[in-house]
Amino acid sequence: MIQISHVSKNYGSFDVLKDCSTTVSKGEVIVVCGPSGSGKSTLIKCVNGLEPFQSGEIIVNGTSVGDPKTNLSKLRAHVGMVFQNFELFPHMSITQNLAIAQVKVLGRQQDEAIDKGLKLLDRVGLKAHAHKFPGQLSGGQQQRVAIARALAMDPICMLFDEPTSALDPEMVNEVLDVMTELAQEGMTMMCVTHEMGFAKRVANRVIFMDHGRIVEDDSKEAFFANPRSERAQQFLAKIL
Ligand code: ADP
Ligand code: MG
């Protein structure tokens, strides 16, 4: 589903990604972790073309992301992305938030888009909040809306960038539960997160990044039992 081959990216003389390669198969759940500044956000933003890269190749469901001929808006329409800070439209109701891209990007009828949005809102346990505005919801609720909004586009895979790190601790699990359900339903997911409980329960593989490199890419069993690099051992010792 996602094939990342020898991807490098620099900002001037600063190498933010160095020769990164990995693949994510259909239905796989990959957790990406590593210290702050190691390039995790940049890597997953490269996957849906939000960040350009200078060398290497990324293929998503047969489409080359770096190819100038690729229609990135079309690609992004089907690669769901959920950010740390929810990124809902503050001046629109939850219903409008769920419907707008379906109408504007996929060309769905308004009624159909609203109907689909409400079904997904129900699925994340928030049907009663449809008429509210984002500012009237808790962080955990807003993030569940953001996930529902991404799902409304019928994504072929989902990218998460620290979806729970801006949340109060008591709200983390409500978001992880939604992500866990998605994973169990077979969604292909690439999740930047430091929630190692989630990684242990749900991930198929764990990628550990350091200074722009993928230094571990292993089954979760191997990663947690015996991380190969010293850097990953230190990281785990700190956060577990
Ligand atoms: P992570 O998500 O692992 O914390 P990021 O991918 O956000 O890391 O960033 C990796 C590195 O790239 C950081 O050192 C960051 O400061 C740097 N960086 C990110 N965006 C830019 C930019 N637009 N210009 C220069 N450096 C950047
Ligand atoms: Mg980041």
Side-chain angles (χ1 to χ4, degrees):
M1 182 65 77
I2 303 172
Q3 201 176 334
I4 301 175
S5 315
H6 303 291
V7 168
S8 297
K9 174 178 173 68
N10 62 278
Y11 293 112
S13 62
F14 177 71
D15 294 325
V16 54
L17 296 176
K18 299 172 191 159
D19 196 26
C20 292
S21 298
T22 190
T23 55
V24 186
S25 304
K26 194 168 188 311
E28 249 189 332
V29 178
I30 308 298
V31 160
V32 182
C33 61
S36 181
S38 56
K40 306 179 298 294
S41 295
T42 305
L43 182 67
I44 67 161
K45 282 184 192 154
C46 285
V47 171
N48 71 349
L50 279 177
E51 287 280 359
F53 47 94
Q54 283 90 1
S55 61
E57 189 171 44
I58 300 181
I59 311 272
V60 179
N61 200 30
T63 301
S64 170
V65 180
D67 183 338
K69 292 195 288 293
T70 294
N71 179 342
L72 285 181
S73 325
K74 200 170 154 201
L75 174 81
R76 267 182 223 131
H78 295 288
V79 177
M81 174 113 194
V82 174
F83 300 91
Q84 188 172 355
N85 293 311
F86 331 133
E87 315 264 345
L88 298 175
F89 302 116
H91 58 290
M92 289 183 192
S93 71
I94 300 305
T95 306
Q96 288 170 313
N97 263 282
L98 289 161
I100 184 152
Q102 295 185 65
V103 173
K104 295 233 151 133
V105 181
L106 301 183
R108 287 186 183 143
Q109 295 298 315
Q110 180 85 0
D111 289 359
E112 184 195 353
I114 289 177
D115 197 48
K116 176 144 186 141
L118 291 177
K119 280 201 185 99
L120 287 161
L121 199 59
D122 193 23
R123 182 165 152 198
V124 299
L126 293 171
K127 198 168 189 182
H129 300 273
H131 60 287
K132 292 187 182 168
F133 283 76
Q136 294 172 290
L137 301 186
S138 72
Q141 289 172 330
Q142 288 186 58
Q143 195 59 298
R144 283 147 64 200
V145 172
I147 295 173
R149 183 175 65 172
L151 293 176
M153 304 295 283
D154 296 324
I156 51 173
C157 59
M158 289 281 289
L159 310 175
F160 293 87
D161 191 2
E162 303 208 35
T164 61
S165 56
L167 299 177
D168 290 336
E170 72 268 23
M171 291 170 191
V172 168
N173 281 332
E174 64 190 64
V175 172
L176 293 179
D177 287 349
V178 169
M179 292 170 65
T180 302
E181 266 180 47
L182 263 185
Q184 285 165 351
E185 287 162 17
M187 178 63 78
T188 307
M189 298 170 37
M190 205 166 165
C191 314
V192 176
T193 181
H194 291 151
E195 293 293 334
M196 291 298 126
F198 172 80
K200 281 185 179 168
R201 280 196 314 276
V202 180
N204 300 106
R205 284 194 350 258
V206 179
I207 285 175
F208 177 79
M209 293 187 70
D210 190 30
H211 290 109
R213 274 185 209 288
I214 294 178
V215 292
E216 308 253 349
D217 183 350
D218 242 327
S219 72
K220 69 174 169 198
E221 290 80 11
F223 180 76
F224 287 113
N226 188 20
R228 281 175 291 193
S229 67
E230 198 177 317
R231 195 65 191 82
Q233 287 167 15
Q234 289 165 355
F235 178 82
L236 280 177
K238 252 185 247 157
I239 66 167
L240 285 181

